[in-house]
PDB file of all heavy atoms in Angstrom:
ATOM      1  N   PRO A  20     125.047  81.645 136.590  1.00 90.00           N
ATOM      2  CA  PRO A  20     126.263  80.820 136.498  1.00 90.00           C
ATOM      3  C   PRO A  20     126.767  80.744 135.061  1.00 90.00           C
ATOM      4  O   PRO A  20     125.971  80.730 134.119  1.00 90.00           O
ATOM      5  CB  PRO A  20     125.788  79.451 136.988  1.00 90.00           C
ATOM      6  CG  PRO A  20     124.308  79.444 136.735  1.00 90.00           C
ATOM      7  CD  PRO A  20     123.851  80.856 136.941  1.00 90.00           C
ATOM      8  N   ASP A  21     128.086  80.703 134.914  1.00 92.00           N
ATOM      9  CA  ASP A  21     128.667  80.581 133.580  1.00 92.00           C
ATOM     10  C   ASP A  21     128.327  79.212 133.010  1.00 92.00           C
ATOM     11  O   ASP A  21     128.217  78.219 133.735  1.00 92.00           O
ATOM     12  CB  ASP A  21     130.180  80.759 133.640  1.00 92.00           C
ATOM     13  CG  ASP A  21     130.757  81.178 132.297  1.00 92.00           C
ATOM     14  OD1 ASP A  21     129.978  81.435 131.373  1.00 92.00           O
ATOM     15  OD2 ASP A  21     132.005  81.242 132.201  1.00 92.00           O
ATOM     16  N   LEU A  22     128.152  79.169 131.713  1.00 94.00           N
ATOM     17  CA  LEU A  22     127.805  77.933 131.029  1.00 94.00           C
ATOM     18  C   LEU A  22     129.063  77.242 130.508  1.00 94.00           C
ATOM     19  O   LEU A  22     130.087  77.902 130.266  1.00 94.00           O
ATOM     20  CB  LEU A  22     126.854  78.226 129.871  1.00 94.00           C
ATOM     21  CG  LEU A  22     125.468  78.730 130.282  1.00 94.00           C
ATOM     22  CD1 LEU A  22     124.720  79.276 129.074  1.00 94.00           C
ATOM     23  CD2 LEU A  22     124.667  77.625 130.949  1.00 94.00           C
ATOM     24  N   PRO A  23     129.004  75.929 130.297  1.00 95.00           N
ATOM     25  CA  PRO A  23     130.172  75.234 129.741  1.00 95.00           C
ATOM     26  C   PRO A  23     130.373  75.588 128.273  1.00 95.00           C
ATOM     27  O   PRO A  23     129.449  76.059 127.600  1.00 95.00           O
ATOM     28  CB  PRO A  23     129.814  73.754 129.909  1.00 95.00           C
ATOM     29  CG  PRO A  23     128.331  73.719 129.951  1.00 95.00           C
ATOM     30  CD  PRO A  23     127.899  75.002 130.616  1.00 95.00           C
ATOM     31  N   TYR A  24     131.587  75.352 127.798  1.00 96.00           N
ATOM     32  CA  TYR A  24     131.939  75.606 126.398  1.00 96.00           C
ATOM     33  C   TYR A  24     132.427  74.295 125.783  1.00 96.00           C
ATOM     34  O   TYR A  24     133.621  74.103 125.554  1.00 96.00           O
ATOM     35  CB  TYR A  24     133.009  76.692 126.310  1.00 96.00           C
ATOM     36  CG  TYR A  24     132.559  78.001 126.906  1.00 96.00           C
ATOM     37  CD1 TYR A  24     132.753  78.275 128.249  1.00 96.00           C
ATOM     38  CD2 TYR A  24     131.888  78.937 126.123  1.00 96.00           C
ATOM     39  CE1 TYR A  24     132.311  79.468 128.813  1.00 96.00           C
ATOM     40  CE2 TYR A  24     131.449  80.134 126.671  1.00 96.00           C
ATOM     41  CZ  TYR A  24     131.658  80.384 128.016  1.00 96.00           C
ATOM     42  OH  TYR A  24     131.201  81.568 128.562  1.00 96.00           O
ATOM     43  N   PRO A  25     131.504  73.372 125.520  1.00 97.00           N
ATOM     44  CA  PRO A  25     131.918  72.024 125.106  1.00 97.00           C
ATOM     45  C   PRO A  25     132.526  71.994 123.715  1.00 97.00           C
ATOM     46  O   PRO A  25     132.108  72.730 122.816  1.00 97.00           O
ATOM     47  CB  PRO A  25     130.608  71.235 125.143  1.00 97.00           C
ATOM     48  CG  PRO A  25     129.553  72.263 124.889  1.00 97.00           C
ATOM     49  CD  PRO A  25     130.043  73.509 125.570  1.00 97.00           C
ATOM     50  N   GLU A  26     133.511  71.115 123.570  1.00 96.00           N
ATOM     51  CA  GLU A  26     134.090  70.885 122.238  1.00 96.00           C
ATOM     52  C   GLU A  26     133.144  70.059 121.380  1.00 96.00           C
ATOM     53  O   GLU A  26     133.136  70.187 120.152  1.00 96.00           O
ATOM     54  CB  GLU A  26     135.434  70.164 122.408  1.00 96.00           C
ATOM     55  CG  GLU A  26     136.180  69.876 121.109  1.00 96.00           C
ATOM     56  CD  GLU A  26     135.786  68.544 120.490  1.00 96.00           C
ATOM     57  OE1 GLU A  26     135.251  67.687 121.222  1.00 96.00           O
ATOM     58  OE2 GLU A  26     136.001  68.367 119.275  1.00 96.00           O
ATOM     59  N   ALA A  27     132.328  69.223 122.001  1.00 98.00           N
ATOM     60  CA  ALA A  27     131.459  68.298 121.274  1.00 98.00           C
ATOM     61  C   ALA A  27     130.320  69.036 120.583  1.00 98.00           C
ATOM     62  O   ALA A  27     129.669  69.901 121.185  1.00 98.00           O
ATOM     63  CB  ALA A  27     130.892  67.248 122.233  1.00 98.00           C
ATOM     64  N   PHE A  28     130.072  68.667 119.316  1.00 98.00           N
ATOM     65  CA  PHE A  28     128.962  69.258 118.577  1.00 98.00           C
ATOM     66  C   PHE A  28     128.322  68.225 117.669  1.00 98.00           C
ATOM     67  O   PHE A  28     128.945  67.226 117.284  1.00 98.00           O
ATOM     68  CB  PHE A  28     129.425  70.470 117.751  1.00 98.00           C
ATOM     69  CG  PHE A  28     130.458  70.163 116.699  1.00 98.00           C
ATOM     70  CD1 PHE A  28     130.108  69.589 115.480  1.00 98.00           C
ATOM     71  CD2 PHE A  28     131.800  70.469 116.915  1.00 98.00           C
ATOM     72  CE1 PHE A  28     131.051  69.313 114.500  1.00 98.00           C
ATOM     73  CE2 PHE A  28     132.761  70.199 115.942  1.00 98.00           C
ATOM     74  CZ  PHE A  28     132.386  69.611 114.733  1.00 98.00           C
ATOM     75  N   ILE A  29     127.060  68.474 117.336  1.00 98.00           N
ATOM     76  CA  ILE A  29     126.331  67.689 116.345  1.00 98.00           C
ATOM     77  C   ILE A  29     125.628  68.667 115.425  1.00 98.00           C
ATOM     78  O   ILE A  29     124.832  69.497 115.873  1.00 98.00           O
ATOM     79  CB  ILE A  29     125.313  66.737 117.003  1.00 98.00           C
ATOM     80  CG1 ILE A  29     126.032  65.705 117.879  1.00 98.00           C
ATOM     81  CG2 ILE A  29     124.465  66.044 115.936  1.00 98.00           C
ATOM     82  CD1 ILE A  29     125.096  64.761 118.620  1.00 98.00           C
ATOM     83  N   VAL A  30     125.952  68.599 114.141  1.00 98.00           N
ATOM     84  CA  VAL A  30     125.372  69.481 113.126  1.00 98.00           C
ATOM     85  C   VAL A  30     124.493  68.630 112.219  1.00 98.00           C
ATOM     86  O   VAL A  30     124.970  67.667 111.618  1.00 98.00           O
ATOM     87  CB  VAL A  30     126.471  70.159 112.273  1.00 98.00           C
ATOM     88  CG1 VAL A  30     125.864  71.208 111.358  1.00 98.00           C
ATOM     89  CG2 VAL A  30     127.518  70.783 113.167  1.00 98.00           C
ATOM     90  N   MET A  31     123.225  68.980 112.131  1.00 98.00           N
ATOM     91  CA  MET A  31     122.331  68.173 111.298  1.00 98.00           C
ATOM     92  C   MET A  31     121.340  69.067 110.579  1.00 98.00           C
ATOM     93  O   MET A  31     121.037  70.171 111.006  1.00 98.00           O
ATOM     94  CB  MET A  31     121.608  67.110 112.134  1.00 98.00           C
ATOM     95  CG  MET A  31     121.025  67.565 113.444  1.00 98.00           C
ATOM     96  SD  MET A  31     120.375  66.125 114.359  1.00 98.00           S
ATOM     97  CE  MET A  31     119.897  66.900 115.902  1.00 98.00           C
ATOM     98  N   GLY A  32     120.889  68.554 109.426  1.00 98.00           N
ATOM     99  CA  GLY A  32     119.925  69.327 108.673  1.00 98.00           C
ATOM    100  C   GLY A  32     120.005  69.065 107.185  1.00 98.00           C
ATOM    101  O   GLY A  32     120.575  68.075 106.717  1.00 98.00           O
ATOM    102  N   ASP A  33     119.434  70.012 106.444  1.00 98.00           N
ATOM    103  CA  ASP A  33     119.372  69.948 104.987  1.00 98.00           C
ATOM    104  C   ASP A  33     120.547  70.751 104.434  1.00 98.00           C
ATOM    105  O   ASP A  33     120.531  71.976 104.454  1.00 98.00           O
ATOM    106  CB  ASP A  33     118.030  70.518 104.516  1.00 98.00           C
ATOM    107  CG  ASP A  33     117.911  70.579 103.004  1.00 98.00           C
ATOM    108  OD1 ASP A  33     118.817  70.073 102.316  1.00 98.00           O
ATOM    109  OD2 ASP A  33     116.912  71.143 102.515  1.00 98.00           O
ATOM    110  N   PHE A  34     121.559  70.032 103.924  1.00 98.00           N
ATOM    111  CA  PHE A  34     122.760  70.686 103.407  1.00 98.00           C
ATOM    112  C   PHE A  34     122.709  70.892 101.900  1.00 98.00           C
ATOM    113  O   PHE A  34     123.575  71.563 101.343  1.00 98.00           O
ATOM    114  CB  PHE A  34     123.993  69.877 103.787  1.00 98.00           C
ATOM    115  CG  PHE A  34     124.361  69.971 105.240  1.00 98.00           C
ATOM    116  CD1 PHE A  34     123.652  69.269 106.198  1.00 98.00           C
ATOM    117  CD2 PHE A  34     125.401  70.787 105.657  1.00 98.00           C
ATOM    118  CE1 PHE A  34     123.978  69.363 107.544  1.00 98.00           C
ATOM    119  CE2 PHE A  34     125.739  70.888 106.996  1.00 98.00           C
ATOM    120  CZ  PHE A  34     125.023  70.165 107.943  1.00 98.00           C
ATOM    121  N   ASN A  35     121.739  70.304 101.217  1.00 97.00           N
ATOM    122  CA  ASN A  35     121.569  70.471  99.773  1.00 97.00           C
ATOM    123  C   ASN A  35     122.842  70.150  98.988  1.00 97.00           C
ATOM    124  O   ASN A  35     123.078  70.710  97.916  1.00 97.00           O
ATOM    125  CB  ASN A  35     121.103  71.898  99.456  1.00 97.00           C
ATOM    126  CG  ASN A  35     119.600  72.061  99.624  1.00 97.00           C
ATOM    127  OD1 ASN A  35     118.816  71.290  99.075  1.00 97.00           O
ATOM    128  ND2 ASN A  35     119.198  73.050 100.406  1.00 97.00           N
ATOM    129  N   MET A  36     123.657  69.250  99.514  1.00 97.00           N
ATOM    130  CA  MET A  36     124.895  68.879  98.819  1.00 97.00           C
ATOM    131  C   MET A  36     124.962  67.365  98.710  1.00 97.00           C
ATOM    132  O   MET A  36     124.298  66.638  99.457  1.00 97.00           O
ATOM    133  CB  MET A  36     126.115  69.415  99.564  1.00 97.00           C
ATOM    134  CG  MET A  36     126.304  68.835 100.950  1.00 97.00           C
ATOM    135  SD  MET A  36     127.660  69.648 101.850  1.00 97.00           S
ATOM    136  CE  MET A  36     127.648  68.736 103.394  1.00 97.00           C
ATOM    137  N   LEU A  37     125.748  66.898  97.777  1.00 96.00           N
ATOM    138  CA  LEU A  37     125.920  65.467  97.581  1.00 96.00           C
ATOM    139  C   LEU A  37     127.198  64.992  98.281  1.00 96.00           C
ATOM    140  O   LEU A  37     128.166  65.757  98.402  1.00 96.00           O
ATOM    141  CB  LEU A  37     125.992  65.135  96.095  1.00 96.00           C
ATOM    142  CG  LEU A  37     124.723  65.449  95.285  1.00 96.00           C
ATOM    143  CD1 LEU A  37     124.961  65.145  93.811  1.00 96.00           C
ATOM    144  CD2 LEU A  37     123.520  64.671  95.806  1.00 96.00           C
ATOM    145  N   PRO A  38     127.230  63.739  98.733  1.00 94.00           N
ATOM    146  CA  PRO A  38     128.452  63.220  99.352  1.00 94.00           C
ATOM    147  C   PRO A  38     129.654  63.346  98.419  1.00 94.00           C
ATOM    148  O   PRO A  38     129.559  63.062  97.216  1.00 94.00           O
ATOM    149  CB  PRO A  38     128.105  61.744  99.614  1.00 94.00           C
ATOM    150  CG  PRO A  38     126.610  61.709  99.702  1.00 94.00           C
ATOM    151  CD  PRO A  38     126.127  62.758  98.743  1.00 94.00           C
ATOM    152  N   GLY A  39     130.765  63.808  98.949  1.00 94.00           N
ATOM    153  CA  GLY A  39     131.983  63.939  98.170  1.00 94.00           C
ATOM    154  C   GLY A  39     132.103  65.211  97.365  1.00 94.00           C
ATOM    155  O   GLY A  39     133.133  65.439  96.712  1.00 94.00           O
ATOM    156  N   SER A  40     131.075  66.070  97.380  1.00 97.00           N
ATOM    157  CA  SER A  40     131.134  67.339  96.649  1.00 97.00           C
ATOM    158  C   SER A  40     132.146  68.272  97.309  1.00 97.00           C
ATOM    159  O   SER A  40     132.548  68.055  98.461  1.00 97.00           O
ATOM    160  CB  SER A  40     129.751  67.987  96.635  1.00 97.00           C
ATOM    161  OG  SER A  40     129.325  68.284  97.960  1.00 97.00           O
ATOM    162  N   PRO A  41     132.596  69.330  96.606  1.00 97.00           N
ATOM    163  CA  PRO A  41     133.591  70.233  97.204  1.00 97.00           C
ATOM    164  C   PRO A  41     133.136  70.836  98.533  1.00 97.00           C
ATOM    165  O   PRO A  41     133.949  70.972  99.454  1.00 97.00           O
ATOM    166  CB  PRO A  41     133.761  71.316  96.126  1.00 97.00           C
ATOM    167  CG  PRO A  41     133.463  70.603  94.847  1.00 97.00           C
ATOM    168  CD  PRO A  41     132.356  69.644  95.175  1.00 97.00           C
ATOM    169  N   GLU A  42     131.858  71.189  98.650  1.00 97.00           N
ATOM    170  CA  GLU A  42     131.388  71.761  99.902  1.00 97.00           C
ATOM    171  C   GLU A  42     131.351  70.706 101.016  1.00 97.00           C
ATOM    172  O   GLU A  42     131.617  71.009 102.181  1.00 97.00           O
ATOM    173  CB  GLU A  42     130.025  72.430  99.723  1.00 97.00           C
ATOM    174  CG  GLU A  42     128.925  71.541  99.169  1.00 97.00           C
ATOM    175  CD  GLU A  42     128.790  71.602  97.654  1.00 97.00           C
ATOM    176  OE1 GLU A  42     129.827  71.638  96.976  1.00 97.00           O
ATOM    177  OE2 GLU A  42     127.638  71.626  97.168  1.00 97.00           O
ATOM    178  N   TYR A  43     131.041  69.465 100.651  1.00 98.00           N
ATOM    179  CA  TYR A  43     131.089  68.367 101.617  1.00 98.00           C
ATOM    180  C   TYR A  43     132.526  68.186 102.131  1.00 98.00           C
ATOM    181  O   TYR A  43     132.758  68.043 103.342  1.00 98.00           O
ATOM    182  CB  TYR A  43     130.592  67.084 100.948  1.00 98.00           C
ATOM    183  CG  TYR A  43     130.743  65.816 101.770  1.00 98.00           C
ATOM    184  CD1 TYR A  43     129.683  65.310 102.512  1.00 98.00           C
ATOM    185  CD2 TYR A  43     131.952  65.112 101.790  1.00 98.00           C
ATOM    186  CE1 TYR A  43     129.826  64.142 103.257  1.00 98.00           C
ATOM    187  CE2 TYR A  43     132.096  63.954 102.539  1.00 98.00           C
ATOM    188  CZ  TYR A  43     131.030  63.473 103.269  1.00 98.00           C
ATOM    189  OH  TYR A  43     131.173  62.321 103.996  1.00 98.00           O
ATOM    190  N   VAL A  44     133.498  68.191 101.229  1.00 97.00           N
ATOM    191  CA  VAL A  44     134.901  68.021 101.598  1.00 97.00           C
ATOM    192  C   VAL A  44     135.355  69.141 102.527  1.00 97.00           C
ATOM    193  O   VAL A  44     136.153  68.926 103.446  1.00 97.00           O
ATOM    194  CB  VAL A  44     135.780  67.964 100.331  1.00 97.00           C
ATOM    195  CG1 VAL A  44     137.263  68.016 100.687  1.00 97.00           C
ATOM    196  CG2 VAL A  44     135.461  66.705  99.530  1.00 97.00           C
ATOM    197  N   GLU A  45     134.820  70.336 102.315  1.00 97.00           N
ATOM    198  CA  GLU A  45     135.165  71.485 103.158  1.00 97.00           C
ATOM    199  C   GLU A  45     134.842  71.220 104.623  1.00 97.00           C
ATOM    200  O   GLU A  45     135.547  71.678 105.527  1.00 97.00           O
ATOM    201  CB  GLU A  45     134.404  72.720 102.681  1.00 97.00           C
ATOM    202  CG  GLU A  45     134.869  74.024 103.279  1.00 97.00           C
ATOM    203  CD  GLU A  45     136.121  74.575 102.610  1.00 97.00           C
ATOM    204  OE1 GLU A  45     136.255  74.449 101.379  1.00 97.00           O
ATOM    205  OE2 GLU A  45     136.961  75.142 103.338  1.00 97.00           O
ATOM    206  N   LEU A  46     133.799  70.451 104.878  1.00 98.00           N
ATOM    207  CA  LEU A  46     133.374  70.186 106.252  1.00 98.00           C
ATOM    208  C   LEU A  46     133.902  68.862 106.790  1.00 98.00           C
ATOM    209  O   LEU A  46     134.330  68.778 107.944  1.00 98.00           O
ATOM    210  CB  LEU A  46     131.837  70.186 106.319  1.00 98.00           C
ATOM    211  CG  LEU A  46     131.201  69.956 107.696  1.00 98.00           C
ATOM    212  CD1 LEU A  46     131.634  71.043 108.675  1.00 98.00           C
ATOM    213  CD2 LEU A  46     129.685  69.913 107.582  1.00 98.00           C
ATOM    214  N   ALA A  47     133.872  67.815 105.965  1.00 97.00           N
ATOM    215  CA  ALA A  47     134.160  66.467 106.454  1.00 97.00           C
ATOM    216  C   ALA A  47     135.442  65.857 105.907  1.00 97.00           C
ATOM    217  O   ALA A  47     135.845  64.773 106.339  1.00 97.00           O
ATOM    218  CB  ALA A  47     132.984  65.544 106.132  1.00 97.00           C
ATOM    219  N   GLY A  48     136.086  66.508 104.929  1.00 97.00           N
ATOM    220  CA  GLY A  48     137.304  65.970 104.352  1.00 97.00           C
ATOM    221  C   GLY A  48     137.032  64.914 103.291  1.00 97.00           C
ATOM    222  O   GLY A  48     135.887  64.623 102.950  1.00 97.00           O
ATOM    223  N   ARG A  49     138.107  64.334 102.763  1.00 95.00           N
ATOM    224  CA  ARG A  49     137.985  63.261 101.769  1.00 95.00           C
ATOM    225  C   ARG A  49     138.885  62.096 102.183  1.00 95.00           C
ATOM    226  O   ARG A  49     139.893  62.287 102.865  1.00 95.00           O
ATOM    227  CB  ARG A  49     138.356  63.744 100.372  1.00 95.00           C
ATOM    228  CG  ARG A  49     139.790  64.167 100.205  1.00 95.00           C
ATOM    229  CD  ARG A  49     140.147  64.300  98.709  1.00 95.00           C
ATOM    230  NE  ARG A  49     139.324  65.279  98.037  1.00 95.00           N
ATOM    231  CZ  ARG A  49     139.644  66.562  97.912  1.00 95.00           C
ATOM    232  NH1 ARG A  49     140.764  67.014  98.456  1.00 95.00           N
ATOM    233  NH2 ARG A  49     138.865  67.385  97.250  1.00 95.00           N
ATOM    234  N   PRO A  50     138.527  60.871 101.796  1.00 94.00           N
ATOM    235  CA  PRO A  50     139.313  59.708 102.213  1.00 94.00           C
ATOM    236  C   PRO A  50     140.713  59.714 101.598  1.00 94.00           C
ATOM    237  O   PRO A  50     140.899  60.133 100.448  1.00 94.00           O
ATOM    238  CB  PRO A  50     138.491  58.522 101.698  1.00 94.00           C
ATOM    239  CG  PRO A  50     137.128  59.054 101.423  1.00 94.00           C
ATOM    240  CD  PRO A  50     137.316  60.491 101.051  1.00 94.00           C
ATOM    241  N   ASP A  51     141.655  59.263 102.360  1.00 94.00           N
ATOM    242  CA  ASP A  51     143.011  59.019 101.858  1.00 94.00           C
ATOM    243  C   ASP A  51     143.044  57.662 101.152  1.00 94.00           C
ATOM    244  O   ASP A  51     142.333  56.733 101.549  1.00 94.00           O
ATOM    245  CB  ASP A  51     143.996  59.028 103.023  1.00 94.00           C
ATOM    246  CG  ASP A  51     145.422  58.743 102.572  1.00 94.00           C
ATOM    247  OD1 ASP A  51     146.040  59.636 101.982  1.00 94.00           O
ATOM    248  OD2 ASP A  51     145.889  57.605 102.808  1.00 94.00           O
ATOM    249  N   HIS A  52     143.872  57.542 100.101  1.00 95.00           N
ATOM    250  CA  HIS A  52     143.907  56.301  99.327  1.00 95.00           C
ATOM    251  C   HIS A  52     144.384  55.117 100.160  1.00 95.00           C
ATOM    252  O   HIS A  52     144.071  53.964  99.868  1.00 95.00           O
ATOM    253  CB  HIS A  52     144.819  56.475  98.105  1.00 95.00           C
ATOM    254  CG  HIS A  52     146.265  56.729  98.461  1.00 95.00           C
ATOM    255  ND1 HIS A  52     147.164  55.717  98.663  1.00 95.00           N
ATOM    256  CD2 HIS A  52     146.921  57.891  98.668  1.00 95.00           C
ATOM    257  CE1 HIS A  52     148.344  56.249  98.968  1.00 95.00           C
ATOM    258  NE2 HIS A  52     148.222  57.564  98.976  1.00 95.00           N
ATOM    259  N   GLU A  53     145.128  55.383 101.228  1.00 95.00           N
ATOM    260  CA  GLU A  53     145.688  54.305 102.031  1.00 95.00           C
ATOM    261  C   GLU A  53     144.996  54.139 103.383  1.00 95.00           C
ATOM    262  O   GLU A  53     144.727  53.027 103.833  1.00 95.00           O
ATOM    263  CB  GLU A  53     147.182  54.565 102.273  1.00 95.00           C
ATOM    264  CG  GLU A  53     147.908  53.460 103.036  1.00 95.00           C
ATOM    265  CD  GLU A  53     148.057  52.175 102.223  1.00 95.00           C
ATOM    266  OE1 GLU A  53     147.995  52.252 100.973  1.00 95.00           O
ATOM    267  OE2 GLU A  53     148.205  51.105 102.843  1.00 95.00           O
ATOM    268  N   PHE A  54     144.658  55.290 104.029  1.00 94.00           N
ATOM    269  CA  PHE A  54     144.190  55.233 105.414  1.00 94.00           C
ATOM    270  C   PHE A  54     142.708  55.568 105.575  1.00 94.00           C
ATOM    271  O   PHE A  54     142.191  55.592 106.693  1.00 94.00           O
ATOM    272  CB  PHE A  54     145.023  56.183 106.284  1.00 94.00           C
ATOM    273  CG  PHE A  54     146.473  55.800 106.341  1.00 94.00           C
ATOM    274  CD1 PHE A  54     147.403  56.461 105.562  1.00 94.00           C
ATOM    275  CD2 PHE A  54     146.903  54.761 107.163  1.00 94.00           C
ATOM    276  CE1 PHE A  54     148.749  56.102 105.603  1.00 94.00           C
ATOM    277  CE2 PHE A  54     148.229  54.398 107.209  1.00 94.00           C
ATOM    278  CZ  PHE A  54     149.157  55.063 106.426  1.00 94.00           C
ATOM    279  N   GLY A  55     142.017  55.862 104.491  1.00 93.00           N
ATOM    280  CA  GLY A  55     140.585  56.154 104.596  1.00 93.00           C
ATOM    281  C   GLY A  55     140.322  57.558 105.107  1.00 93.00           C
ATOM    282  O   GLY A  55     141.174  58.444 105.026  1.00 93.00           O
ATOM    283  N   MET A  56     139.124  57.764 105.650  1.00 93.00           N
ATOM    284  CA  MET A  56     138.721  59.090 106.108  1.00 93.00           C
ATOM    285  C   MET A  56     139.437  59.448 107.406  1.00 93.00           C
ATOM    286  O   MET A  56     139.372  58.696 108.383  1.00 93.00           O
ATOM    287  CB  MET A  56     137.208  59.129 106.328  1.00 93.00           C
ATOM    288  CG  MET A  56     136.672  60.521 106.613  1.00 93.00           C
ATOM    289  SD  MET A  56     136.805  61.658 105.196  1.00 93.00           S
ATOM    290  CE  MET A  56     135.335  61.185 104.252  1.00 93.00           C
ATOM    291  N   PRO A  57     140.125  60.579 107.445  1.00 90.00           N
ATOM    292  CA  PRO A  57     140.843  60.944 108.667  1.00 90.00           C
ATOM    293  C   PRO A  57     139.879  61.336 109.783  1.00 90.00           C
ATOM    294  O   PRO A  57     138.833  61.919 109.542  1.00 90.00           O
ATOM    295  CB  PRO A  57     141.686  62.152 108.226  1.00 90.00           C
ATOM    296  CG  PRO A  57     140.926  62.737 107.064  1.00 90.00           C
ATOM    297  CD  PRO A  57     140.289  61.565 106.374  1.00 90.00           C
ATOM    298  N   LEU A  58     140.244  60.982 111.008  1.00 95.00           N
ATOM    299  CA  LEU A  58     139.487  61.397 112.185  1.00 95.00           C
ATOM    300  C   LEU A  58     140.335  62.429 112.908  1.00 95.00           C
ATOM    301  O   LEU A  58     141.237  62.097 113.673  1.00 95.00           O
ATOM    302  CB  LEU A  58     139.195  60.193 113.082  1.00 95.00           C
ATOM    303  CG  LEU A  58     138.326  60.459 114.319  1.00 95.00           C
ATOM    304  CD1 LEU A  58     136.926  60.897 113.910  1.00 95.00           C
ATOM    305  CD2 LEU A  58     138.245  59.210 115.186  1.00 95.00           C
ATOM    306  N   THR A  59     140.070  63.701 112.623  1.00 96.00           N
ATOM    307  CA  THR A  59     140.867  64.785 113.176  1.00 96.00           C
ATOM    308  C   THR A  59     139.956  65.850 113.761  1.00 96.00           C
ATOM    309  O   THR A  59     138.794  65.990 113.357  1.00 96.00           O
ATOM    310  CB  THR A  59     141.766  65.431 112.098  1.00 96.00           C
ATOM    311  OG1 THR A  59     140.931  65.965 111.053  1.00 96.00           O
ATOM    312  CG2 THR A  59     142.718  64.409 111.492  1.00 96.00           C
ATOM    313  N   ALA A  60     140.492  66.610 114.705  1.00 96.00           N
ATOM    314  CA  ALA A  60     139.691  67.578 115.439  1.00 96.00           C
ATOM    315  C   ALA A  60     139.212  68.736 114.573  1.00 96.00           C
ATOM    316  O   ALA A  60     138.275  69.440 114.939  1.00 96.00           O
ATOM    317  CB  ALA A  60     140.490  68.113 116.628  1.00 96.00           C
ATOM    318  N   ASP A  61     139.855  68.959 113.419  1.00 96.00           N
ATOM    319  CA  ASP A  61     139.489  70.103 112.587  1.00 96.00           C
ATOM    320  C   ASP A  61     138.463  69.755 111.512  1.00 96.00           C
ATOM    321  O   ASP A  61     138.130  70.605 110.678  1.00 96.00           O
ATOM    322  CB  ASP A  61     140.731  70.708 111.934  1.00 96.00           C
ATOM    323  CG  ASP A  61     141.451  69.727 111.017  1.00 96.00           C
ATOM    324  OD1 ASP A  61     141.291  68.500 111.217  1.00 96.00           O
ATOM    325  OD2 ASP A  61     142.163  70.178 110.103  1.00 96.00           O
ATOM    326  N   LEU A  62     137.958  68.515 111.504  1.00 97.00           N
ATOM    327  CA  LEU A  62     136.944  68.113 110.538  1.00 97.00           C
ATOM    328  C   LEU A  62     135.752  67.497 111.264  1.00 97.00           C
ATOM    329  O   LEU A  62     135.899  66.869 112.317  1.00 97.00           O
ATOM    330  CB  LEU A  62     137.511  67.082 109.556  1.00 97.00           C
ATOM    331  CG  LEU A  62     138.565  67.572 108.573  1.00 97.00           C
ATOM    332  CD1 LEU A  62     139.145  66.392 107.800  1.00 97.00           C
ATOM    333  CD2 LEU A  62     137.985  68.605 107.608  1.00 97.00           C
TER     334      LEU A  62
END
């Protein structure tokens, strides 16, 4: 049987990066000065 292709994911592990670093922003984004951290499907 074909398997599902879920949109939901959980990525965890040792990223060797600090919060707010450029590589962190690449994955999770950065807070907006007015609205905070965006909740969007591409981050």
